[in-house]
Amino acid sequence: MTLVATAQTPTADPYPVEELELDLRWWAAANYLTVGQIYLKDDALLDRPLTHADVKPRLLGHWGTSPGLSALYVQLNRLIRRTGTPCLYVAGPGHGGPALVANTWLEGSYSELFSAIRPDAAGIRALFRQFSTPGGIPSHVSVPTPGSIHEGGELGYALVHAAGAAFDHPDLLVACVVGDGEAETGPLSGSWKIPAYLDARRDGAVLPVLHLNGYKISSATVWGRSSDAEVCGYLASQGWAPVVVSGDDPRLVFTDLEAALRGAHERIAEIQTAARAGAVDVRPGWPAIVLRTPKGWTGPAVVDGIQVEGTFRSHQVPLSGVQTDDAHLAQLEQWLRSYSPELQFPTEGRLAPELAALAPAGDLRMGSTPYANGGRLRRPLDLPALADYSVDVPAPGTTSAETTHPLGELLAEVYRRTTTPEGGGTFRLFCPDETASNRLQSVFEVTDRCLQAEVLPTDDHLSPHGRVMEVLSEHLCEGWLEGYLLSGRHGLFATYEAFAMVSASMVIQHVKWLQHAADVPWRTPVSSLTILLTSTCWRNDHNGFSHQGPGLIDTVIPLSPAVVRVWLPPDANCLLSVAAHCLRSVDHVNLLVADKQQHLQYLTLEQAEAHCAAGASVWHWAGTESAGDDPPDVVLAAAGDVPTLEVLAAAELLRRWVPWLRVRMVNVVDLMALMPPDIHPHGFSTEYFRELFTDDADVVFAFHGYPRAVHQLLHGRPDTDRFHVRGFDEQGTTTTPFDMVVLNRMSRYHLVLDALRHARRTPERGEELAAYCREMLDRHEVYIREHFEDLPEVRNWSWSGSALPG
């Protein structure tokens, strides 16, 4: 074991030989179960010589990283038993799924959660047969893996999830294994800055274990080929105090790893004790372990004359010909018997009592920890009454407000209600350096931005104990929130709309997690992942094309209807209503799209609550339908704040010029409700869809995002060809706000032209109105190039409800 100068040398505490031998036997049992899951469908305990028929026809799974994962599991069990510290195990090398399953079966938690996988020979056979087979479990650490909050299929997120779980859990130790392949990813590379955000006074600890076995699937890794000094120098620069444990002799490695973990735990206790006693030490140098062991450790050293152990060839299935090759089959049996299954499972396949005693008790078992099943710890969020934060709307479309500002005031009160006397809490806002930019700055009345570094007089609301998490990385904000939610708390991720796409893949993976968690009975509901997309495409006219992109909507709408929700509130009161709903909800991914700029306000809080509960409604005050039974000649529909403004301005033009044209105005806030009810649980019934859009009237639909999204959602509704959608058409630049809607042909003038074109009848003065609209578009183009701002009648527009002059 190599100690870096900044590391804490562990205190002398002997590791008795007899205990070491028992730990090595547990490790052998775990390795046996790991290999068995990959290869065997029968003869699970080698009661007779293996035959080709005992081997699975399809060999799936990954051996290479598994022995190292199991070695750490053994030593963490020892640490937990000795100290009583609750520990969460986050496995970054997700391909080590069979190792985590094996260890949770050994500790007993697996059989408690899955009664068919009994703690005996029949259970071992069932354990083997379910792995990577139809109707069984996946090969990665995943939703059905006890003790997991982390899907290991897409690499890069282990350390960021670990940090999210540690925030506001002061007693928790999160041991996070980072594989050297995963360490090459962008998100993981950014995750090492945890020491700049981990508050020892109120947070738990993250103990990274950088597991270097030198290879990924078929090539060497950068970290694996770096020297200890290079690796440790980088970690130290990020605020870690690393210790290196290296070797291939299990007894020596286990001895060194035990000492490293003991020393790390003691140093963590020192850091936390000092911080909680009031000491000022914002960058204490948190412990970290660099573990170098051979890839495929204890597996076949050589296969067909080619080295396998210690090379990339052990990554997945070291012996690939066992179904037909007698030599491979014999080598598999030899490999399995090297773990002495008859010694580890001596009586009817049950784990030897002296090994079973190595597991921690009850919920201290890592497969049973409530921190990995956050619904067990979650308590409903204490939300204040919305009326205290609502915007006064004396008449629709006549007053303006920054739509997200009232939400910021609400979140400030949420912070007040959920912050504990010790400075922790159960709610956090995560945002990439944009909290104030996004008009949520009221939260700084209650707490600060968090940074474990020197605070300068010129800083604004910055302190080591702040609980607003600002880091200029969508990956970290998203991942921190996921870990925070999955371990039982509440939160919100607010970001510029266009740059939410940076973490789009993370959103997809979280949807998949929640989708499958719903089918695992022991997984209890967790708070929904709510993403506020603001600084939207339509109002990033000042930043230009790079900041203009509503693509996250398109990313999520094809995903699980049971999980995904997309909300487009048109004003501040609707935003409050929807946000409160989202923050109370469980097991969903909510996209909440609302711009931060000044916008006209339309609905009182009472009206907003009814509108949002319905998902969409007819705004009768904006239309020109008579009280009779005649259907509308055309329907104007909007989803989103800027589309709502343009539709209302179009409706007023129609009201003023052609009041005898029957126009209905529909506003949609729950986008997924456009889908048929047999596809999405929020889908409007056929009857309500008809009430909104009629059976046969053409619908001119102004939409916040890409028009194809609405067409996709409407699939399955009758006569969808009558829907004519205008939205963001990938036209943008640095320009005026109104020019953005003109460029994308979603302006009020384009909408009027569409309405006249698709109405049931051509109204009197229709051609005159169409000419006026074309003239205004021409005027607009000339005016903005001369004056650098929009036409006065556009930028000062508000709803008047005017009719045709007499």
Side-chain angles (χ1 to χ4, degrees):
M1 178 173 66
T2 303
L3 295 180
V4 177
T6 54
Q8 176 75 10
T9 304
T11 57
D13 186 11
Y15 187 5
V17 173
E18 60 274 16
E19 294 185 19
L20 169 61
E21 294 300 326
L22 286 173
D23 286 345
L24 288 170
R25 284 181 56 195
W26 176 294
W27 186 51
N31 287 338
Y32 181 86
L33 295 178
T34 299
V35 179
Q37 288 177 80
I38 295 171
Y39 282 97
L40 299 184
K41 64 177 182 178
D42 280 309
D43 196 16
L45 285 171
L46 305 181
D47 295 323
R48 51 176 172 74
L50 274 183
T51 68
H52 294 297
D54 296 323
V55 177
K56 294 177 180 178
R58 299 174 70 239
L59 300 179
L60 305 172
H62 297 74
W63 164 248
T65 190
S66 293
L69 293 177
S70 291
L72 181 64
Y73 208 101
V74 174
Q75 292 302 329
L76 286 171
N77 277 346
R78 168 168 290 278
L79 178 70
I80 294 167
R81 293 198 323 275
R82 183 169 59 82
T83 65
T85 300
C87 183
L88 176 64
Y89 191 122
V90 176
H95 292 312
L100 274 295
V101 169
N103 281 280
T104 54
W105 185 89
L106 291 172
E107 72 185 15
S109 57
Y110 202 96
S111 297
E112 290 176 9
L113 296 172
F114 298 97
S115 58
I117 313 297
R118 300 178 342 211
D120 56 18
I124 292 175
R125 180 178 183 272
L127 188 80
F128 290 178
R129 292 179 65 86
Q130 71 168 1
F131 180 77
S132 286
T133 56
I137 62 173
S139 64
H140 299 144
V141 176
S142 189
V143 180
T145 308
S148 174
I149 63 164
H150 182 75
E151 162 62 59
E154 182 170 302
L155 300 179
Y157 312 133
L159 200 51
V160 69
H161 287 157
F167 294 147
D168 290 320
H169 274 151
D171 300 324
L172 180 64
L173 173 64
V174 186
C176 179
V177 185
V178 177
D180 45 359
E182 179 183 28
E184 296 180 354
T185 66
L188 201 288
S189 296
S191 296
W192 291 111
K193 56 180 64 69
I194 291 170
Y197 296 93
L198 198 67
D199 182 359
R201 187 180 72 174
R202 49 110 198 278
D203 296 331
V206 176
L207 177 61
V209 179
L210 180 57
H211 185 206
L212 303 181
N213 55 38
Y215 296 91
K216 37 191 183 272
I217 294 176
S218 59
S219 182
T221 61
V222 173
W223 285 84
R225 294 293 171 88
S226 301
S227 68
D228 288 351
E230 290 171 327
V231 173
C232 292
Y234 178 80
L235 295 181
S237 75
Q238 300 298 298
W240 303 99
V243 174
V244 178
V245 176
S246 180
D248 58 6
D249 183 326
R251 284 174 172 77
L252 295 179
V253 172
F254 268 54
T255 300
D256 287 350
L257 184 55
E258 190 275 341
L261 281 172
R262 182 162 27 90
H265 182 267
E266 290 173 1
R267 177 58 181 146
I268 288 168
E270 290 174 4
I271 292 169
Q272 292 177 336
T273 299
R276 293 166 191 179
V280 178
D281 187 6
V282 294
R283 295 296 293 272
W286 289 95
I289 295 173
V290 179
L291 176 63
R292 289 188 187 267
T293 59
K295 196 172 184 83
W297 198 14
T298 73
V302 176
V303 178
D304 296 333
I306 300 173
Q307 183 181 343
V308 172
E309 185 185 22
T311 78
F312 67 88
R313 295 179 180 88
S314 64
H315 181 78
Q316 291 177 284
V317 181
L319 294 164
S320 58
V322 288
Q323 296 100 332
T324 57
D325 189 305
D326 290 341
H328 279 210
L329 183 67
Q331 197 169 3
L332 172 61
E333 183 169 352
Q334 181 185 16
W335 177 16
L336 286 163
R337 291 193 186 278
S338 73
Y339 299 123
S340 303
E342 71 285 351
L343 179 63
Q344 322 313 345
F345 312 103
T347 307
E348 298 179 344
R350 294 184 178 275
L351 186 63
E354 63 273 22
L355 298 186
L358 300 179
D363 282 353
L364 284 177
R365 294 172 298 175
M366 287 182 284
S368 297
T369 177
Y371 294 101
N373 193 6
R376 292 176 57 190
L377 301 175
R378 179 186 182 273
R379 298 294 178 267
L381 187 62
D382 185 11
L383 285 174
L386 300 185
D388 295 337
Y389 308 94
S390 62
V391 174
D392 184 31
V393 182
T398 58
T399 59
S400 294
E402 293 175 335
T403 298
T404 56
H405 183 74
L407 175 61
E409 295 179 324
L410 174 73
L411 296 179
E413 179 60 23
V414 172
Y415 264 112
R416 289 188 187 95
R417 292 175 176 226
T418 57
T419 300
T420 66
E422 297 77 24
T426 57
F427 175 87
R428 289 204 191 191
L429 172 65
F430 301 82
C431 188
D433 192 34
E434 297 153 359
T435 302
S437 170
N438 288 327
R439 313 300 193 262
L440 303 174
Q441 67 271 20
S442 296
V443 296
F444 297 132
E445 299 169 8
V446 183
T447 187
D448 296 323
R449 301 172 176 90
C450 177
L451 188 68
Q452 309 301 313
E454 180 185 5
V455 177
L456 303 178
T458 52
D459 291 329
D460 179 39
H461 290 99
L462 186 70
S463 78
H465 309 306
R467 296 184 61 255
V468 174
M469 309 307 292
E470 283 197 343
V471 58
L472 197 51
S473 166
E474 288 79 8
H475 283 127
L476 297 195
C477 291
E478 164 82 8
W480 283 348
L481 177 56
E482 287 185 15
Y484 200 68
L485 300 175
L486 289 168
S487 53
R489 282 74 58 78
H490 309 263
L492 178 73
F493 170 34
T495 183
Y496 282 18
E497 178 185 49
F499 304 131
M501 291 300 292
V502 172
S503 54
S505 188
M506 300 181 76
V507 176
I508 293 171
Q509 294 297 326
H510 193 68
V511 171
K512 292 175 184 290
W513 177 281
L514 293 176
Q515 178 182 351
H516 282 273
D519 297 326
V520 178
W522 51 267
R523 287 278 180 191
T524 47
V526 295
S527 298
S528 298
L529 176 70
T530 298
I531 304 172
L532 173 62
L533 302 178
T534 186
S535 298
T536 61
C537 59
W538 299 106
R539 294 305 306 271
N540 253 295
D541 41 88
H542 58 299
N543 277 321
F545 202 28
S546 65
H547 285 57
Q548 297 158 356
L552 194 60
I553 294 174
D554 294 71
T555 298
V556 302
I557 59 174
L559 304 178
S560 170
V563 177
V564 170
R565 307 286 185 266
V566 179
W567 304 93
L568 293 158
D571 64 4
N573 287 335
C574 289
L575 176 59
L576 285 174
S577 176
V578 170
H581 168 81
C582 293
L583 291 172
R584 290 190 182 102
S585 68
V586 295
D587 291 347
H588 293 155
V589 168
N590 298 300
L591 292 196
L592 185 47
V593 187
D595 187 63
K596 67 185 182 184
Q597 307 287 6
Q598 287 276 343
H599 288 271
L600 290 173
Q601 304 296 307
Y602 309 109
L603 304 180
T604 66
L605 180 61
E606 182 180 4
Q607 292 168 338
E609 299 238 66
H611 177 54
C612 295
S617 57
V618 177
W619 286 7
H620 295 284
W621 52 267
T624 56
E625 291 182 272
S626 65
D629 296 330
D630 291 337
D633 295 313
V634 69
V635 176
L636 295 179
D641 41 28
V642 169
T644 297
L645 169 68
E646 293 305 311
V647 162
L648 287 173
E652 189 174 73
L653 284 169
L654 292 167
R655 170 190 290 262
R656 177 153 43 94
W657 285 79
V658 288
W660 41 83
L661 187 73
R662 294 188 297 275
V663 178
R664 175 179 296 176
M665 194 280 185
V666 175
N667 189 268
V668 177
V669 64
D670 183 353
L671 186 66
M672 305 302 279
L674 293 175
M675 301 176 77
D678 59 338
I679 297 177
H680 195 283
H682 280 201
F684 296 135
S685 68
T686 301
E687 293 74 21
Y688 192 62
F689 190 85
R690 181 183 296 123
E691 285 182 37
L692 294 171
F693 300 112
T694 77
D695 285 320
D696 54 2
D698 278 43
V699 181
V700 176
F701 200 127
F703 175 54
H704 175 86
Y706 295 109
R708 62 179 175 265
V710 173
H711 291 296
Q712 179 179 350
L713 293 168
L714 289 171
H715 181 74
R717 296 291 188 180
D719 194 13
T720 56
D721 287 346
R722 64 194 175 97
F723 284 80
H724 313 284
V725 185
R726 298 282 188 176
F728 188 76
D729 202 25
E730 207 57 31
Q731 300 299 315
T733 183
T734 302
T735 187
T736 67
F738 187 66
D739 196 46
M740 277 297 297
V741 294
V742 172
L743 289 172
N744 290 278
R745 303 178 63 81
M746 198 191 72
S747 75
R748 59 200 67 183
Y749 304 119
H750 290 98
L751 297 174
V752 167
L753 291 170
D754 277 353
L756 294 172
R757 185 180 306 117
H758 296 293
R760 295 180 194 271
R761 55 197 174 96
T762 302
E764 182 183 349
R765 297 191 70 193
E767 285 300 321
E768 185 180 350
L769 173 56
Y772 170 80
C773 289
R774 289 189 284 268
E775 175 190 347
M776 290 302 294
L777 289 170
D778 292 338
R779 278 188 59 203
H780 156 78
E781 187 163 354
V782 172
Y783 188 92
I784 63 171
R785 279 156 178 76
E786 180 178 352
H787 298 281
F788 310 140
E789 63 178 349
D790 288 321
L791 289 160
E793 52 263 65
V794 170
R795 68 175 184 268
N796 299 325
W797 183 87
S798 62
W799 175 259
S800 67
S802 60
L804 180 69

